[in-house]
Amino acid sequence: MSLPQTPSGGAPGLRRGALAVTAVALSFTVLTACGAGNNAQSLGVKPDTAAVTVDTISVQNANVITQPEAGTAGPAVVSATVFNKGDKDQTIESITLPGSTGAVKLSPAKGSGPLIVPALGSIVIGGKGNATAMIDDGTALTQNIGGVQKTVFRFSETGDVELKSFVMPATGDFKDFGPSSLPTPPATAQSPGASGKPAEAASKAASEAASGRPGSEGEASETDAEAETGTGTDAETGTEAETETGAEGETAH
């Protein structure tokens, strides 16, 4: 006895469709596995800021900000934001730049004392009104502008937290977080008439010419008038002398 023939588009076609769906599902599973877990490809995308987390301490946006141009003498600073996720305050005991000769001096935002990162809080280093980390002589660091600088934060509980900070010039967005002492732009030379002195001299000369003061014809006229007055006075004096002499002669006769 022969078995009945399966109609076209029957069970074998369903089985083939089920196998295709299974294959697609497996491919999605493999792709999902490649994008998750500790070695996920998405974790290979690094942020454009220097950051690191050790235990309960997280250091973010770490930069070494120097003078604007390479070779320019002057101070440099370290800027960063430090988060403390623990339930105990921690002190930043030091910040060092291995390979650099400049020592980093730490100062709180107000007063004096250590830099304390409060429990479940944060602290900002760099910028107006914040704590500072100053390198007095950052000249050598300017040679590494655009590169990275190994930076070590030492905490009272966590210990050393190391990362590579970006070395940036104190320009643009970094100007307000950079050293407080920056070179002053050279003064622009003033034009001869900028101060107004030549104009004042010209005005004075014109005024003198109009009023007949030094170098004018009016002065010469005044001098001539004085000479004529003097001459007339002398003549009158001579006439009076002759009159008196004649009178004395007539009296004698």
Side-chain angles (χ1 to χ4, degrees):
M1 183 177 68
S2 61
L3 295 174
Q5 297 294 322
T6 303
S8 177
L14 292 175
R15 286 196 294 271
R16 286 194 295 272
L19 290 174
V21 171
T22 302
V24 172
L26 288 174
S27 64
F28 276 117
T29 303
V30 172
L31 290 174
T32 304
C34 291
N38 294 332
N39 296 321
Q41 293 179 356
S42 59
L43 296 180
V45 179
K46 302 297 183 183
D48 57 357
T49 58
V52 66
T53 298
V54 177
D55 295 334
T56 61
I57 292 295
S58 178
V59 180
Q60 300 182 10
N61 300 323
N63 296 285
V64 176
I65 307 176
T66 70
Q67 296 293 312
E69 297 182 1
T72 303
V77 297
V78 176
S79 68
T81 303
V82 182
F83 296 89
N84 180 6
K85 300 178 182 178
D87 56 2
K88 186 177 181 179
D89 293 353
Q90 289 210 46
T91 300
I92 302 178
E93 296 180 344
S94 66
I95 300 177
T96 55
L97 306 176
S100 173
T101 57
V104 182
K105 297 180 180 179
L106 305 180
S107 300
K110 295 181 180 180
S112 59
L115 301 189
I116 298 176
V117 188
L120 302 177
S122 63
I123 184 174
V124 177
I125 303 173
K128 185 177 181 180
N130 300 320
T132 60
M134 178 76 71
I135 303 106
D136 287 337
D137 185 4
T139 308
L141 292 168
T142 63
Q143 303 299 331
N144 196 24
I145 290 177
V148 294
Q149 169 64 50
K150 183 178 179 181
T151 309
V152 180
F153 291 75
R154 175 166 293 179
F155 294 88
S156 55
E157 299 294 328
T158 302
D160 289 353
V161 174
E162 178 183 321
L163 76 164
K164 291 183 178 179
S165 303
F166 292 108
V167 181
M168 305 300 295
T171 58
D173 294 338
F174 294 94
K175 184 177 181 179
D176 293 338
F177 291 88
S180 57
S181 176
L182 294 174
T184 303
T188 304
Q190 294 183 346
S191 59
S195 64
K197 292 183 179 179
E200 292 176 359
S203 177
K204 183 177 180 181
S207 177
E208 290 175 349
S211 62
R213 289 179 182 174
S216 67
E217 295 178 358
E219 182 178 2
S221 299
E222 292 176 358
T223 304
D224 294 340
E226 290 175 358
E228 291 175 0
T229 302
T231 304
T233 303
D234 292 341
E236 292 176 358
T237 303
T239 302
E240 293 176 355
E242 291 176 357
T243 301
E244 293 176 354
T245 302
E248 290 174 358
E250 291 177 354
T251 302
H253 288 292

